[in-house]
Amino acid sequence: MTEQVVLVVRAISAKYGTREVFHDVAFELRGGQALGVVGSSGAGKTTLLRILAGLMRQSSGEVRLDGREPREAVLRSGVAYFAGEATLPGSVRAMKWGRLGTGDPVMAEGRRLRMLSRGTRQLLGLRTVLGREALRLVILDEPWEGLDPDASRWLSVTVETKRDRGAAVVLSSHRLHDLAGVCDLYLFLANHQAVVLRAHEIAPVGPVTAATLTDAFDRLHGGTARFRAAS
């Protein structure tokens, strides 16, 4: 059974003042699908994800989440958004979570988030956001930042579980190996433009890899890709 379309993006553009970030971004995402947003620093990945989450408005075009404007939909639909440090209020006290697999064996109850390691803060935020049930859309901006291998595996398994339960997922990363092989669609941002390709269009034989993602970006944008294929 084909899942319903959750997210529809029609020819959106974004500007900061007179500076154009991107234009004519368009795609549809169904429940159970994942979209990987690929682009170097400053290409507009975070801006795009903030628009999808209803945190800012596009300059033109249309975004619909379950048929509604994002700002309205986040109040009605199950939407999870996480963007690392920018999402965590450092003054909020953390509860006792036990072993998290990030170098902090036990997060003592009452410790402020800013006193924890970067990886633990990142994982705590992800666990809090992804712990919600009945999610329709999951939007994660650079979710692998600061995570150790155990936490990274937990994130991959959790995202796959949310997809199996019908959630649409949008992921961004500047490290291509994070996105390689885990998405159905890839949106490439560069030179203010966007191109969306399906996984089989990037790698007709075998899984999508960091190398095939880089090759696809170079073909689309004239060899201007500047990514870290591995950390």
Side-chain angles (χ1 to χ4, degrees):
M1 179 178 177
T2 302
E3 293 281 357
Q4 293 181 339
V5 173
V6 173
L7 184 65
V8 177
V9 177
R10 298 190 180 100
I12 67 169
S13 64
K15 292 182 179 180
Y16 290 109
T18 59
R19 183 177 71 86
E20 182 181 63
V21 182
F22 54 72
H23 66 267
D24 202 28
V25 175
F27 62 89
E28 290 187 356
L29 195 62
R30 294 180 177 273
Q33 288 186 320
L35 171 76
V37 181
V38 177
S40 53
S41 297
K45 299 189 301 296
T46 294
T47 297
L48 175 60
L49 269 58
R50 285 177 58 82
I51 290 172
L52 301 183
L55 298 176
M56 63 180 291
R57 289 189 61 85
Q58 64 274 15
S59 301
S60 62
E62 184 179 51
V63 179
R64 288 289 183 269
L65 171 56
D66 284 336
R68 303 183 182 94
E69 289 275 356
R71 291 190 183 189
E72 176 188 359
V74 294
L75 301 176
R76 297 170 179 261
S77 301
V79 179
Y81 171 77
F82 183 73
E85 294 292 317
T87 318
L88 289 172
S91 62
V92 175
R93 291 183 178 272
M95 295 178 64
K96 189 172 183 178
W97 279 59
R99 183 171 295 276
L100 294 180
T102 58
D104 286 306
V106 176
M107 187 188 308
E109 187 173 2
R111 290 178 64 186
R112 294 183 180 275
L113 293 181
R114 64 172 175 263
M115 301 300 292
L116 303 173
S117 71
R118 180 187 182 190
T120 299
R121 293 196 303 272
Q122 183 82 352
L123 184 56
L124 174 62
L126 287 165
R127 281 184 178 272
T128 301
V129 167
L130 294 175
R132 296 165 54 196
E133 297 296 328
L135 291 175
R136 292 286 289 157
L137 178 64
V138 175
I139 302 172
L140 303 178
D141 190 2
E142 303 283 357
W144 288 276
E145 284 295 307
L147 298 185
D148 67 13
D150 287 341
S152 294
R153 282 192 291 271
W154 169 86
L155 175 60
S156 297
V157 170
T158 302
V159 167
E160 189 62 32
T161 298
K162 296 299 181 185
R163 292 178 62 185
D164 290 344
R165 294 176 180 173
V169 179
V170 180
L171 303 163
S172 79
S173 180
H174 58 274
R175 302 179 306 192
L176 295 185
H177 73 285
D178 290 334
L179 298 174
V182 301
C183 299
D184 306 283
L185 305 168
Y186 291 89
L187 189 153
F188 297 84
L189 282 173
N191 303 325
H192 314 297
Q193 298 177 338
V195 175
V196 178
L197 295 177
R198 296 185 176 276
H200 69 81
E201 294 176 300
I202 297 169
V205 179
V208 173
T209 65
T212 56
L213 281 175
T214 301
D215 288 344
F217 190 97
D218 286 345
R219 292 196 306 271
L220 293 168
H221 299 290
T224 60
R226 295 293 182 270
F227 300 114
R228 285 188 288 168
S231 58

